[in-house]
Amino acid sequence: MRSLKMPKLGVNIDHVATLRQVRHGIEPEPVFAALISEASGADSIVAHLREDRRHIQERDLYLLKETVKTRLNLEMSVAKDIVDIACEVRPDQATLVPEKRQEVTTEGGLDVPPNFKKIKQAISRLEKQAIAVSLFIDPDKIQIDASAKLGVGMIELHTGRYAEAKNKKQQDKYFRQLETAVDYARAKGLVVNAGHGLDYYNAARVAKVKGIEELNIGYAIVCRAALVGFACAVKQMKALIK
Ligand code: PXP
């Protein structure tokens, strides 16, 4: 069944922490951004504890867990020490992502089939702590099938190829791939979220795809917030995906 409602908005606050870590200072405070986002219409707060700790730190997670009122979605790799931390912090949701040290941002989705066992172990540990698990995957039937086989209830489709398309023809092609993947995953009973690379120019089209539950957007909102403030940036995005 297709969802007819507008997607929710998850605001990723990683790059507030990036700005702080540039100087290893105390500002800007990611928790502050999270609370303003919630007050401005965010439906969830997303943070990625990367293995190299380039932005979000463990202390941020503990503070976010204490303060976020909507839903805390922790993006994370399946590395054992990261799963240990997640099991201790117990966010509402964990989104499993692939992670490479050298990448500027998460470059692709999880390759589920060859990593099936490792991902399954992480899911099992997280679910024991009552954490809802989502898998960040490319809009691809093989990945969707493998995710469904793992028994997760939720996936997030990587919108990077659509967002980074060099021309209209390419963008249309990747948009159709996304639509097909949403339908395919929904037919398998999965809750479907989407994100990566979405901004004030390309998010509205994705928001119109029926069946997407939530869009997770970070970089574009933090960039806009640097100029117009966080409340305004979140409200503008919320209005745009309506
Ligand atoms: N979803 C996932 C799983 C991600 O890894 C990221 C990047 O941290 C995002 C969404 C948000 O991407 P962006 O910062 O490009 O909006």
Side-chain angles (χ1 to χ4, degrees):
M1 201 183 61
R2 290 176 143 209
S3 153
L4 294 172
K5 38 187 206 299
M6 71 180 255
K8 292 179 186 153
L9 174 64
V11 175
N12 180 315
I13 54 166
D14 288 350
H15 297 302
V16 176
T18 302
L19 196 53
R20 178 191 61 193
Q21 295 311 113
V22 167
R23 290 276 177 109
H24 298 286
I26 56 168
E27 283 190 313
E29 172 59 72
V31 172
F32 199 165
L35 299 183
I36 295 174
S37 296
E38 288 187 315
S40 310
D43 298 290
S44 69
I45 299 300
V46 189
H48 184 174
L49 183 71
R50 291 189 74 104
E51 290 169 34
D52 64 9
R53 306 292 195 275
R54 68 174 74 157
H55 39 56
I56 294 291
Q57 308 295 306
E58 280 169 64
R59 92 25 121 183
D60 299 326
L61 287 188
Y62 287 96
L63 291 174
L64 288 167
K65 166 72 182 179
E66 288 295 313
T67 49
V68 165
K69 306 282 189 304
T70 51
R71 190 162 28 91
L72 177 60
N73 176 7
L74 173 62
E75 285 178 14
M76 53 179 281
S77 76
V78 295
K80 186 189 169 298
D81 57 325
I82 297 287
V83 179
D84 289 346
I85 295 167
C87 287
E88 205 184 298
V89 175
R90 300 179 65 220
D92 303 286
Q93 183 181 327
T95 300
L96 302 183
V97 302
E99 207 174 295
K100 292 189 217 117
R101 284 286 159 107
Q102 294 79 12
E103 67 191 357
V104 175
T105 179
T106 316
E107 279 166 4
L110 283 169
D111 191 2
V112 182
N115 296 297
F116 200 84
K117 210 169 143 198
K118 233 187 317 177
I119 298 171
K120 196 176 173 65
Q121 279 167 356
I123 294 171
S124 151
R125 287 190 63 201
L126 293 163
E127 286 185 341
K128 271 192 198 126
Q129 299 301 324
I131 301 167
V133 180
S134 175
L135 302 183
F136 185 49
I137 57 171
D138 287 326
D140 173 310
K141 286 187 179 174
I142 292 173
Q143 301 300 337
I144 295 169
D145 286 341
S147 302
K149 211 164 143 199
L150 276 167
V152 281
M154 189 167 33
I155 56 168
E156 179 176 336
L157 295 175
H158 197 307
T159 50
R161 277 187 289 192
Y162 158 79
E164 285 152 28
K166 296 279 174 283
N167 53 52
K168 176 87 170 68
K169 196 171 159 211
Q170 253 192 29
Q171 197 188 50
D172 288 348
K173 177 180 141 192
Y174 292 128
F175 181 75
R176 281 193 298 275
Q177 259 179 24
L178 191 66
E179 278 187 316
T180 306
V182 172
D183 280 345
Y184 187 76
R186 296 266 303 169
K188 291 200 167 266
L190 293 163
V191 170
V192 182
N193 303 321
H196 208 284
L198 297 180
D199 61 25
Y200 292 85
Y201 307 97
N202 62 24
R205 191 175 182 194
V206 178
K208 282 192 209 137
V209 176
K210 298 204 172 58
I212 296 183
E213 184 69 20
E214 184 163 53
L215 296 180
N216 291 317
I217 307 180
Y219 184 69
I221 291 177
V222 176
C223 290
R224 173 93 28 134
L227 302 177
V228 303
F230 237 90
C232 187
V234 172
K235 281 180 192 163
Q236 285 179 2
M237 183 58 81
K238 192 79 186 173
L240 205 145
I241 67 172
K242 249 187 193 165

